[in-house]
Amino acid sequence: MSAEFGGRTGRQGKLSQWLRGRRPKETADEGGREALLLAAADAGLPLAPAAHPAAGYRCSCDRVGCPTPARHPVSFAWQTQSTTDHAQIERWARHQPQANFITATGMVHDVLDVPLQAGREALERLLAAGVEVGPVAGSDDGRMLFFTLTRGTPEDEDEWWPCELDCHPETMDEHPGLRWHCRGSYVLVPPARLPGDDGRSVHWVRGPEHALPDPLSLLEALTDACARHVGEEPDHTRASWPLRR
């Protein structure tokens, strides 16, 4: 990973590797990929380049045993680098044709991240009740991401809610399986490819054209669904990713 995060030589080497490995299918798909990324930017989601899958379950970064393969930014400066500027996003997408993208949370939006089955149940319940639901992404590794407005920056830092509500034992009973991505966190934004040979991805269930809702309007339905489904999901759906960096 050091070469990728490092100086000019490392970045140029990685770029050359991406360009050499570019296939006709990727070129044909590029327009659709860029359109989806720009639509996310138009919705106010700040984007930055992320790693992508390498052979099998490996990550494109240089880190041996990467704990979050294809799910992390390629720059330590991802928070300041994240942008909605079309020209910059187009340059990244064209120069890094295999790269995934992350969106930094806690600026404009937060993400409520729940197990897939719980998310599906909650989404159906919310829509049936006429609740305004914003963009929703599905991840083939067993998670569903609900994009919401951010809570903003509270005056009292003790009021700041943690990114991963289920990573602390004292919160497990109240928020089983729910992670709240806010300041200092990020998630993959569709379209994104996940490691493996089975074509797993992160994709929109409801696109970014839907307005971002207040997170509290979704929270009860999501926590109720998580409580019903806790213990039913495979272990990998409870993996703590993305990690703060």
Side-chain angles (χ1 to χ4, degrees), residues 86-122:
H86 276 212
Q88 180 60 66
I89 293 168
E90 287 172 343
R91 283 194 292 271
W92 281 333
R94 293 171 187 177
H95 293 164
Q96 304 177 22
Q98 298 186 56
N100 287 334
F101 279 76
I102 59 96
T103 177
T105 53
M107 298 180 183
V108 174
H109 71 294
D110 290 349
V111 171
L112 299 174
D113 173 353
V114 299
L116 183 61
Q117 292 302 320
R120 287 173 175 166
E121 177 185 312

Short mmCIF file of all heavy atoms in Angstrom, two decimals, residues 86-122:
data_model
loop_
_atom_site.label_atom_id
_atom_site.label_comp_id
_atom_site.label_asym_id
_atom_site.label_seq_id
_atom_site.Cartn_x
_atom_site.Cartn_y
_atom_site.Cartn_z
N HIS A 86 -17.53 17.59 -10.87
CA HIS A 86 -17.65 16.67 -11.99
C HIS A 86 -16.33 16.45 -12.70
O HIS A 86 -15.99 15.31 -13.05
CB HIS A 86 -18.69 17.21 -12.99
CG HIS A 86 -20.09 16.87 -12.64
ND1 HIS A 86 -21.08 16.66 -13.58
CD2 HIS A 86 -20.70 16.70 -11.43
CE1 HIS A 86 -22.22 16.38 -12.97
NE2 HIS A 86 -22.01 16.41 -11.67
N ALA A 87 -15.60 17.52 -12.95
CA ALA A 87 -14.36 17.40 -13.71
C ALA A 87 -13.36 16.49 -13.00
O ALA A 87 -12.71 15.65 -13.62
CB ALA A 87 -13.75 18.78 -13.96
N GLN A 88 -13.25 16.65 -11.68
CA GLN A 88 -12.30 15.83 -10.93
C GLN A 88 -12.75 14.37 -10.90
O GLN A 88 -11.94 13.45 -11.08
CB GLN A 88 -12.17 16.35 -9.50
CG GLN A 88 -11.20 15.56 -8.64
CD GLN A 88 -9.79 15.57 -9.20
OE1 GLN A 88 -9.15 16.62 -9.23
NE2 GLN A 88 -9.31 14.43 -9.66
N ILE A 89 -14.03 14.13 -10.70
CA ILE A 89 -14.54 12.75 -10.68
C ILE A 89 -14.35 12.09 -12.04
O ILE A 89 -13.97 10.91 -12.12
CB ILE A 89 -16.02 12.75 -10.25
CG1 ILE A 89 -16.13 13.20 -8.79
CG2 ILE A 89 -16.63 11.36 -10.43
CD1 ILE A 89 -17.55 13.49 -8.34
N GLU A 90 -14.59 12.81 -13.11
CA GLU A 90 -14.38 12.26 -14.45
C GLU A 90 -12.92 11.91 -14.68
O GLU A 90 -12.60 10.87 -15.27
CB GLU A 90 -14.87 13.25 -15.50
CG GLU A 90 -16.38 13.36 -15.57
CD GLU A 90 -16.84 14.48 -16.49
OE1 GLU A 90 -16.01 15.37 -16.80
OE2 GLU A 90 -18.01 14.49 -16.88
N ARG A 91 -12.00 12.76 -14.21
CA ARG A 91 -10.57 12.47 -14.36
C ARG A 91 -10.22 11.20 -13.60
O ARG A 91 -9.53 10.32 -14.13
CB ARG A 91 -9.72 13.65 -13.86
CG ARG A 91 -9.65 14.82 -14.81
CD ARG A 91 -8.54 15.79 -14.41
NE ARG A 91 -8.86 16.46 -13.16
CZ ARG A 91 -9.54 17.61 -13.07
NH1 ARG A 91 -9.99 18.20 -14.17
NH2 ARG A 91 -9.77 18.17 -11.90
N TRP A 92 -10.68 11.08 -12.37
CA TRP A 92 -10.40 9.88 -11.59
C TRP A 92 -10.95 8.64 -12.29
O TRP A 92 -10.27 7.62 -12.41
CB TRP A 92 -11.02 10.00 -10.21
CG TRP A 92 -10.27 10.84 -9.23
CD1 TRP A 92 -8.92 11.08 -9.21
CD2 TRP A 92 -10.83 11.55 -8.13
NE1 TRP A 92 -8.61 11.90 -8.16
CE2 TRP A 92 -9.75 12.20 -7.47
CE3 TRP A 92 -12.12 11.70 -7.62
CZ2 TRP A 92 -9.96 12.98 -6.32
CZ3 TRP A 92 -12.32 12.47 -6.49
CH2 TRP A 92 -11.24 13.11 -5.85
N ALA A 93 -12.21 8.73 -12.73
CA ALA A 93 -12.87 7.56 -13.32
C ALA A 93 -12.17 7.11 -14.60
O ALA A 93 -12.06 5.91 -14.87
CB ALA A 93 -14.33 7.87 -13.59
N ARG A 94 -11.69 8.06 -15.40
CA ARG A 94 -11.06 7.71 -16.68
C ARG A 94 -9.62 7.27 -16.51
O ARG A 94 -9.14 6.41 -17.26
CB ARG A 94 -11.17 8.90 -17.63
CG ARG A 94 -12.61 9.17 -18.04
CD ARG A 94 -12.80 10.46 -18.80
NE ARG A 94 -14.23 10.71 -19.01
CZ ARG A 94 -14.71 11.80 -19.60
NH1 ARG A 94 -13.89 12.75 -20.04
NH2 ARG A 94 -16.01 11.95 -19.75
N HIS A 95 -8.92 7.84 -15.54
CA HIS A 95 -7.53 7.47 -15.31
C HIS A 95 -7.40 6.22 -14.45
O HIS A 95 -6.34 5.58 -14.43
CB HIS A 95 -6.77 8.63 -14.66
CG HIS A 95 -6.62 9.82 -15.55
ND1 HIS A 95 -6.27 11.07 -15.09
CD2 HIS A 95 -6.80 9.94 -16.89
CE1 HIS A 95 -6.23 11.92 -16.11
NE2 HIS A 95 -6.53 11.25 -17.21
N GLN A 96 -8.45 5.88 -13.72
CA GLN A 96 -8.43 4.71 -12.85
C GLN A 96 -9.66 3.85 -13.17
O GLN A 96 -10.60 3.77 -12.38
CB GLN A 96 -8.43 5.15 -11.38
CG GLN A 96 -7.29 6.09 -11.04
CD GLN A 96 -7.35 6.58 -9.60
OE1 GLN A 96 -7.96 5.96 -8.74
NE2 GLN A 96 -6.71 7.71 -9.33
N PRO A 97 -9.69 3.23 -14.33
CA PRO A 97 -10.91 2.59 -14.83
C PRO A 97 -11.40 1.40 -14.02
O PRO A 97 -12.53 0.99 -14.18
CB PRO A 97 -10.52 2.15 -16.25
CG PRO A 97 -9.03 2.04 -16.23
CD PRO A 97 -8.57 3.12 -15.31
N GLN A 98 -10.55 0.83 -13.15
CA GLN A 98 -11.00 -0.29 -12.33
C GLN A 98 -11.35 0.13 -10.90
O GLN A 98 -11.86 -0.68 -10.13
CB GLN A 98 -9.91 -1.36 -12.28
CG GLN A 98 -9.58 -1.97 -13.64
CD GLN A 98 -8.61 -3.12 -13.49
OE1 GLN A 98 -8.86 -4.07 -12.77
NE2 GLN A 98 -7.49 -3.04 -14.18
N ALA A 99 -11.07 1.36 -10.55
CA ALA A 99 -11.21 1.79 -9.16
C ALA A 99 -12.66 1.81 -8.70
O ALA A 99 -13.56 2.20 -9.44
CB ALA A 99 -10.59 3.17 -8.98
N ASN A 100 -12.88 1.37 -7.47
CA ASN A 100 -14.12 1.67 -6.78
C ASN A 100 -14.05 3.11 -6.26
O ASN A 100 -12.99 3.74 -6.29
CB ASN A 100 -14.32 0.72 -5.59
CG ASN A 100 -14.70 -0.69 -6.03
OD1 ASN A 100 -15.26 -0.88 -7.10
ND2 ASN A 100 -14.38 -1.67 -5.20
N PHE A 101 -15.17 3.60 -5.76
CA PHE A 101 -15.21 4.93 -5.14
C PHE A 101 -15.89 4.81 -3.79
O PHE A 101 -16.82 4.03 -3.62
CB PHE A 101 -15.96 5.93 -6.02
CG PHE A 101 -15.12 6.50 -7.13
CD1 PHE A 101 -14.85 5.73 -8.26
CD2 PHE A 101 -14.59 7.77 -7.06
CE1 PHE A 101 -14.07 6.23 -9.29
CE2 PHE A 101 -13.80 8.28 -8.08
CZ PHE A 101 -13.54 7.52 -9.20
N ILE A 102 -15.40 5.63 -2.84
CA ILE A 102 -16.08 5.74 -1.55
C ILE A 102 -16.73 7.12 -1.49
O ILE A 102 -16.38 8.04 -2.22
CB ILE A 102 -15.11 5.57 -0.36
CG1 ILE A 102 -13.98 6.61 -0.39
CG2 ILE A 102 -14.56 4.15 -0.33
CD1 ILE A 102 -14.20 7.84 0.44
N THR A 103 -17.73 7.23 -0.61
CA THR A 103 -18.29 8.54 -0.29
C THR A 103 -18.07 8.80 1.19
O THR A 103 -18.35 7.93 2.03
CB THR A 103 -19.78 8.64 -0.66
OG1 THR A 103 -20.28 9.93 -0.26
CG2 THR A 103 -20.61 7.56 -0.02
N ALA A 104 -17.53 9.96 1.49
CA ALA A 104 -17.24 10.33 2.88
C ALA A 104 -18.52 10.76 3.57
O ALA A 104 -19.23 11.64 3.09
CB ALA A 104 -16.21 11.45 2.91
N THR A 105 -18.82 10.13 4.71
CA THR A 105 -20.03 10.47 5.45
C THR A 105 -19.74 11.55 6.49
O THR A 105 -18.59 11.84 6.81
CB THR A 105 -20.60 9.22 6.14
OG1 THR A 105 -19.58 8.60 6.93
CG2 THR A 105 -21.09 8.22 5.11
N GLY A 106 -20.82 12.14 7.01
CA GLY A 106 -20.70 13.16 8.04
C GLY A 106 -20.49 14.55 7.52
O GLY A 106 -20.36 15.50 8.31
N MET A 107 -20.43 14.74 6.20
CA MET A 107 -20.32 16.07 5.60
C MET A 107 -21.71 16.55 5.19
O MET A 107 -22.23 17.54 5.70
CB MET A 107 -19.39 16.05 4.39
CG MET A 107 -17.96 15.66 4.70
SD MET A 107 -16.95 15.67 3.18
CE MET A 107 -15.39 15.09 3.82
N VAL A 108 -22.29 15.83 4.24
CA VAL A 108 -23.63 16.12 3.75
C VAL A 108 -24.60 15.03 4.18
O VAL A 108 -25.76 15.30 4.49
CB VAL A 108 -23.62 16.24 2.21
CG1 VAL A 108 -25.04 16.41 1.66
CG2 VAL A 108 -22.74 17.40 1.77
N HIS A 109 -24.11 13.82 4.22
CA HIS A 109 -24.98 12.68 4.47
C HIS A 109 -24.35 11.72 5.47
O HIS A 109 -23.14 11.70 5.67
CB HIS A 109 -25.26 11.94 3.17
CG HIS A 109 -24.06 11.19 2.65
ND1 HIS A 109 -22.92 11.82 2.21
CD2 HIS A 109 -23.82 9.87 2.51
CE1 HIS A 109 -22.03 10.92 1.82
NE2 HIS A 109 -22.55 9.73 1.99
N ASP A 110 -25.22 10.94 6.10
CA ASP A 110 -24.82 9.79 6.90
C ASP A 110 -25.33 8.54 6.20
O ASP A 110 -26.09 8.63 5.23
CB ASP A 110 -25.42 9.85 8.31
CG ASP A 110 -24.81 10.95 9.17
OD1 ASP A 110 -23.78 11.54 8.76
OD2 ASP A 110 -25.37 11.21 10.25
N VAL A 111 -24.92 7.37 6.69
CA VAL A 111 -25.42 6.11 6.15
C VAL A 111 -25.77 5.19 7.31
O VAL A 111 -24.94 4.97 8.21
CB VAL A 111 -24.38 5.44 5.23
CG1 VAL A 111 -24.83 4.01 4.88
CG2 VAL A 111 -24.18 6.25 3.96
N LEU A 112 -26.98 4.67 7.29
CA LEU A 112 -27.41 3.64 8.23
C LEU A 112 -27.21 2.29 7.54
O LEU A 112 -27.83 2.01 6.52
CB LEU A 112 -28.87 3.85 8.61
CG LEU A 112 -29.17 5.19 9.31
CD1 LEU A 112 -30.67 5.36 9.51
CD2 LEU A 112 -28.45 5.27 10.65
N ASP A 113 -26.35 1.47 8.11
CA ASP A 113 -25.83 0.26 7.49
C ASP A 113 -26.36 -0.94 8.29
O ASP A 113 -26.05 -1.08 9.47
CB ASP A 113 -24.30 0.36 7.53
CG ASP A 113 -23.56 -0.87 7.09
OD1 ASP A 113 -24.19 -1.91 6.85
OD2 ASP A 113 -22.32 -0.80 7.00
N VAL A 114 -27.18 -1.78 7.65
CA VAL A 114 -27.86 -2.87 8.37
C VAL A 114 -27.71 -4.18 7.61
O VAL A 114 -27.39 -4.19 6.41
CB VAL A 114 -29.36 -2.55 8.55
CG1 VAL A 114 -29.56 -1.28 9.35
CG2 VAL A 114 -30.07 -2.45 7.20
N PRO A 115 -27.93 -5.32 8.28
CA PRO A 115 -27.93 -6.60 7.57
C PRO A 115 -28.96 -6.60 6.44
O PRO A 115 -30.03 -5.99 6.55
CB PRO A 115 -28.29 -7.61 8.66
CG PRO A 115 -27.86 -6.96 9.93
CD PRO A 115 -28.11 -5.50 9.73
N LEU A 116 -28.64 -7.30 5.37
CA LEU A 116 -29.43 -7.24 4.14
C LEU A 116 -30.89 -7.61 4.36
O LEU A 116 -31.80 -6.89 3.93
CB LEU A 116 -28.81 -8.16 3.09
CG LEU A 116 -29.48 -8.16 1.71
CD1 LEU A 116 -29.44 -6.78 1.07
CD2 LEU A 116 -28.79 -9.18 0.79
N GLN A 117 -31.16 -8.72 5.02
CA GLN A 117 -32.55 -9.15 5.20
C GLN A 117 -33.32 -8.16 6.07
O GLN A 117 -34.49 -7.87 5.80
CB GLN A 117 -32.59 -10.56 5.81
CG GLN A 117 -32.09 -11.64 4.88
CD GLN A 117 -32.86 -11.69 3.56
OE1 GLN A 117 -34.08 -11.52 3.54
NE2 GLN A 117 -32.15 -11.88 2.47
N ALA A 118 -32.69 -7.65 7.11
CA ALA A 118 -33.34 -6.63 7.93
C ALA A 118 -33.63 -5.38 7.12
O ALA A 118 -34.69 -4.76 7.26
CB ALA A 118 -32.47 -6.30 9.15
N GLY A 119 -32.68 -4.99 6.26
CA GLY A 119 -32.88 -3.82 5.43
C GLY A 119 -34.03 -3.98 4.46
O GLY A 119 -34.82 -3.05 4.25
N ARG A 120 -34.13 -5.16 3.86
CA ARG A 120 -35.23 -5.40 2.92
C ARG A 120 -36.58 -5.31 3.62
O ARG A 120 -37.54 -4.71 3.11
CB ARG A 120 -35.07 -6.77 2.28
CG ARG A 120 -33.94 -6.85 1.26
CD ARG A 120 -33.73 -8.29 0.81
NE ARG A 120 -32.75 -8.38 -0.27
CZ ARG A 120 -32.19 -9.52 -0.66
NH1 ARG A 120 -32.53 -10.66 -0.07
NH2 ARG A 120 -31.31 -9.52 -1.64
N GLU A 121 -36.66 -5.91 4.81
CA GLU A 121 -37.91 -5.87 5.57
C GLU A 121 -38.26 -4.44 5.95
O GLU A 121 -39.42 -4.00 5.81
CB GLU A 121 -37.77 -6.72 6.83
CG GLU A 121 -39.00 -6.69 7.73
CD GLU A 121 -38.78 -7.45 9.02
OE1 GLU A 121 -38.29 -8.58 8.96
OE2 GLU A 121 -39.11 -6.89 10.09
N ALA A 122 -37.26 -3.68 6.45
CA ALA A 122 -37.51 -2.30 6.85
C ALA A 122 -37.90 -1.43 5.67
O ALA A 122 -38.80 -0.58 5.78
CB ALA A 122 -36.27 -1.74 7.55
#
